Amino acid sequence: MKLWELFIILILLSPLVFLGCSTDKAKEEPTRPPPIAVTFTDVTAAAGINFIHSEGDIIELVSQTTSPGVAFADYDNDGDLDIYITNGLGLPNALYRNNGDGTFSDVAEEAGVDHRGFAMGCVLGDYDNDGDLDLYVTNYNEPNLFFRNNGDGTFTDVTLESGTGDNRWGVSAAFADYDNDGDLDLYVVNYIRFAKELAPKDFVLVERAEDNVLLAPEPYDPQGNVLYRNNGDGTFEDVTDQAGVADEDGRGLSAIFGDYDNDGDVDLFVGNDISRNKLYRNNGDGTFEDVSFLEGVDDPRSGMGVDWGDYDNDGDLDFYVGYFKYQPNALYRNNLPKNPSEGETLANFDDVASAAGLAEPCRMYVTWGAGFLDYDNDGYLDIFAVNGHIKSDDIDLTVCIGQPDFLFRNNGDGTFEDVSESAGAWSSYRHVGRGTAFGDYDGDGDMDIFIANNNGPAVLLRNDGGNQNNWLHIKLIGTKSNRDGIGAKVTVKSGGLTQMREVIAGNSVMSQSSLEVAFGLGNNPKAEVVKIRWPSGIVQMMKDIAANQIITVVEGQE
């Protein structure tokens, strides 16, 4: 063959080179479905929920303005979500059993969990690995309570025998297996050393009938928190000091466990009021390191509700924090290096709330409950924020100020849009919001919302329309890991989009969302890959899982 003939052949073949002669399949790009109309309908009365929280006729103490909390959890293992709500002023807490037909029945008394005290928050987890969820309740001015689930619809008070009856002012609590030994440990957040007689003589927040209305925490000392390590025999040991998570200078309101640095053990974030937030990185040896300053999250604002979630779908946990009036809420984006070099800081958080469009809408409100949920099942986590002031207003000093709640839709480009008004009449409510929880209580594939309000009625919002997009819910059962799979990371790949969720027990403030991890799949009919990394280190992979179902995955089983 002559040289000029070879040259012509090469020219003819060159387009194939540029178009890609490689046998490698081109990377599939995610396609986001168009927006869908979703309405949240107030079904509280129709569902048979008549819970009204009360703190008394005259609100004059900060303790009266703090609660209540709420949890979505399947305590009776019948496949649907039940609801637990705390109450105050010596009124009973409520346990609403899901009847499976859209209605609920309050069975707290017969279940033995209708404690009448000054309750704050609640969290559920299977601490004894016997297959049912146990209940921990935090209290003001009395010891916290621990109830073991008997598996027959009733609970037994095991506070004394478990050694978990901390008698400081407990607000929020969270379960996680921080030492990866296969059982759940417990972290309890305490607030302030409060009593009316401890108020400084010259401290006056609001004057009424020559009395001080003590609705602010500034004059009171913080109490420090407690970490209980599960001994595996029904008892717990206080290991706070050894672990390094006492946070003695923080006025704690919320706490959440999550593996923010993707190293296989859960870390801990604590939201503090009028004191710096804390981020404790798990060292993997039973101790934690305070990395709040290094990671840029030691914010001195009034931190309240908090939740982890991978809102930008880059494989690491970001988090959202609610703050006080004039203190815009924060969205901390996790910039975790994908291949961190030795000695490099594992993560560095940036508050991107302003750029994301989340700072201004909540600036004039007091955000308590807060969390991530994919309400429209498009594959991107949205944000719900519950608001309510603590201070009495100038007109009626016997009540706190009701405020609207907000629903922010994730635009998929790092920004969010306030869609509250278009998502239902609930946006016109002016309740004094506190705790909130998310879960699919009616089993139709979209996430519903429960709101616990201070000194007022609770609200159940049913999601109508979110299941127009496809979805997949996954329930985990641990065998080597803790029974609930708390701390497990679940990754779903579908239609070119990769999403990650972590199983978390205890989030928002004083509250807990469903332990099932929920994924929106948009228009995609299946999840091509589901990957689970259990706390034990076991990794499971499944392929081609059909959409629009709830699946149960048992650790180590195909």
Side-chain angles (χ1 to χ4, degrees):
M1 180 181 295
K2 296 180 179 180
L3 182 61
W4 65 269
E5 292 175 324
L6 178 61
F7 181 70
I8 292 175
I9 292 174
L10 291 174
I11 291 176
L12 291 174
L13 289 176
S14 62
L16 296 178
V17 175
F18 289 111
L19 289 174
C21 296
S22 171
T23 57
D24 294 338
K25 185 179 179 180
K27 181 181 179 181
E28 185 179 9
E29 294 296 329
T31 56
R32 192 178 186 203
I36 58 176
V38 177
T39 299
F40 281 93
T41 304
D42 183 350
V43 295
T44 315
I49 296 173
N50 56 4
F51 182 88
I52 298 179
H53 179 270
S54 177
E55 292 293 16
D57 296 330
I58 298 177
I59 299 176
E60 59 180 3
L61 306 178
V62 65
S63 53
Q64 292 175 271
T65 68
T66 305
S67 63
V70 61
F72 265 132
D74 182 11
Y75 84 95
D76 54 1
N77 282 337
D78 63 352
D80 47 36
L81 292 175
D82 312 293
I83 301 169
Y84 190 79
I85 321 172
T86 63
N87 212 334
L89 197 68
L91 297 174
N93 298 340
L95 174 61
Y96 283 99
R97 184 183 62 208
N98 193 327
N99 298 322
D101 59 2
T103 68
F104 292 80
S105 299
D106 187 357
V107 297
E109 184 176 2
E110 61 190 78
V113 291
D114 60 332
H115 173 69
R116 295 171 181 262
F118 213 131
M120 292 286 149
C122 54
V123 65
L124 290 97
D126 187 2
Y127 83 97
D128 51 3
N129 285 332
D130 65 349
D132 45 42
L133 293 173
D134 310 293
L135 170 67
Y136 192 81
V137 180
T138 56
N139 293 305
Y140 164 73
N141 205 30
E142 61 180 326
N144 299 332
L145 295 172
F146 205 170
F147 296 98
R148 184 184 63 219
N149 193 326
N150 298 321
D152 59 1
T154 68
F155 292 78
T156 298
D157 185 344
V158 294
T159 308
L160 289 178
E161 66 185 74
S162 66
T164 57
D166 191 75
N167 60 4
R168 289 170 287 182
W169 182 355
V171 181
S172 296
F175 278 120
D177 183 9
Y178 82 93
D179 51 1
N180 282 344
D181 65 350
D183 48 35
L184 292 178
D185 311 296
L186 174 67
Y187 189 75
V188 181
V189 173
N190 296 309
Y191 194 28
I192 54 178
R193 185 171 175 263
F194 175 79
K196 193 170 182 178
E197 58 271 17
L198 295 177
K201 298 299 182 183
D202 58 349
F203 176 74
V204 178
L205 178 65
V206 178
E207 290 187 353
R208 179 180 66 233
E210 299 181 354
D211 241 353
N212 289 356
V213 183
L214 309 176
L215 300 182
E218 291 97 328
Y220 307 100
D221 294 331
Q223 287 193 312
N225 306 325
V226 58
L227 174 63
Y228 293 109
R229 185 181 62 206
N230 193 329
N231 295 322
D233 59 0
T235 67
F236 288 77
E237 179 183 358
D238 182 347
V239 295
T240 314
D241 292 336
Q242 302 96 295
V245 291
D247 193 14
E248 294 287 354
D249 56 349
R251 299 176 177 90
L253 283 176
S254 60
I256 189 167
F257 284 103
D259 182 11
Y260 84 90
D261 52 3
N262 286 341
D263 66 350
D265 46 38
V266 292
D267 312 294
L268 173 66
F269 181 82
V270 180
N272 287 318
D273 190 10
I274 315 180
S275 39
R276 295 186 179 277
N277 297 329
K278 295 295 176 61
L279 177 60
Y280 294 103
R281 185 170 62 207
N282 194 325
N283 295 321
D285 59 0
T287 68
F288 291 78
E289 178 185 0
D290 181 355
V291 294
S292 314
F293 176 76
L294 292 175
E295 303 294 16
V297 297
D298 61 333
D299 201 308
R301 290 177 286 177
S302 301
M304 290 182 278
V306 61
D307 198 15
W308 294 108
D310 183 14
Y311 82 93
D312 51 1
N313 288 331
D314 66 347
D316 49 39
L317 290 175
D318 315 291
F319 64 102
Y320 183 77
V321 185
Y323 286 108
F324 202 77
K325 186 178 180 180
Y326 305 126
Q327 302 173 0
N329 297 342
L331 176 64
Y332 290 103
R333 183 184 62 207
N334 191 339
N335 302 314
L336 180 69
K338 301 310 172 188
N339 297 293
S341 60
E342 185 176 354
E344 180 180 1
T345 300
L346 286 179
N348 191 345
F349 290 90
D350 291 328
D351 184 357
V352 297
S354 182
L358 294 168
E360 282 304 316
C362 290
R363 183 183 295 274
M364 299 303 294
Y365 302 97
V366 181
T367 299
W368 289 76
F372 291 102
L373 76 163
D374 184 2
Y375 79 92
D376 53 359
N377 283 327
D378 66 350
Y380 295 84
L381 286 174
D382 313 295
I383 292 173
F384 189 73
V386 175
N387 303 307
H389 213 307
I390 65 164
K391 298 180 182 179
S392 301
D393 61 25
D394 295 331
I395 300 173
D396 184 354
L397 295 179
T398 67
V399 296
C400 289
I401 302 174
Q403 296 181 334
D405 303 325
F406 289 94
L407 177 65
F408 298 103
R409 182 177 185 268
N410 190 330
N411 294 320
D413 60 0
T415 67
F416 290 77
E417 176 187 2
D418 181 0
V419 296
S420 309
E421 291 188 6
S422 64
W426 60 271
S427 63
S428 64
Y429 294 174
R430 295 295 185 271
H431 293 310
V432 183
R434 292 298 182 260
T436 189
F438 312 132
D440 182 13
Y441 84 91
D442 51 1
D444 65 351
D446 46 35
M447 299 298 283
D448 311 296
I449 300 174
F450 197 94
I451 305 167
N453 294 305
N454 180 274
N455 228 41
V459 178
L460 175 62
L461 298 177
R462 184 186 66 207
N463 186 326
D464 293 326
N467 55 10
Q468 297 172 71
N469 282 324
N470 295 324
W471 53 276
L472 179 65
H473 294 178
I474 303 175
K475 177 182 179 180
L476 301 184
I477 298 179
T479 53
K480 186 176 180 181
S481 302
N482 68 86
R483 172 82 181 193
D484 301 316
I486 293 169
K489 284 187 183 292
V490 184
T491 303
V492 165
K493 295 182 179 180
S494 179
L497 185 67
T498 300
Q499 305 173 60
M500 184 272 290
R501 306 280 187 270
E502 185 165 322
V503 184
I504 293 172
N507 63 326
S508 184
V509 62
M510 301 176 287
S511 300
Q512 175 175 331
S513 294
S514 171
L515 292 176
E516 287 182 0
V517 287
F519 294 89
L521 303 184
N523 296 325
N524 302 301
K526 66 178 180 179
E528 288 88 21
V529 178
V530 175
K531 176 183 176 182
I532 302 168
R533 192 191 75 186
W534 296 86
S536 66
I538 292 174
V539 176
Q540 283 178 257
M541 301 276 289
M542 295 170 288
K543 294 185 177 180
D544 297 328
I545 306 298
N548 304 325
Q549 62 171 326
I550 302 172
I551 65 171
T552 299
V553 180
V554 179
E555 183 177 16
Q557 292 186 11
E558 296 296 330

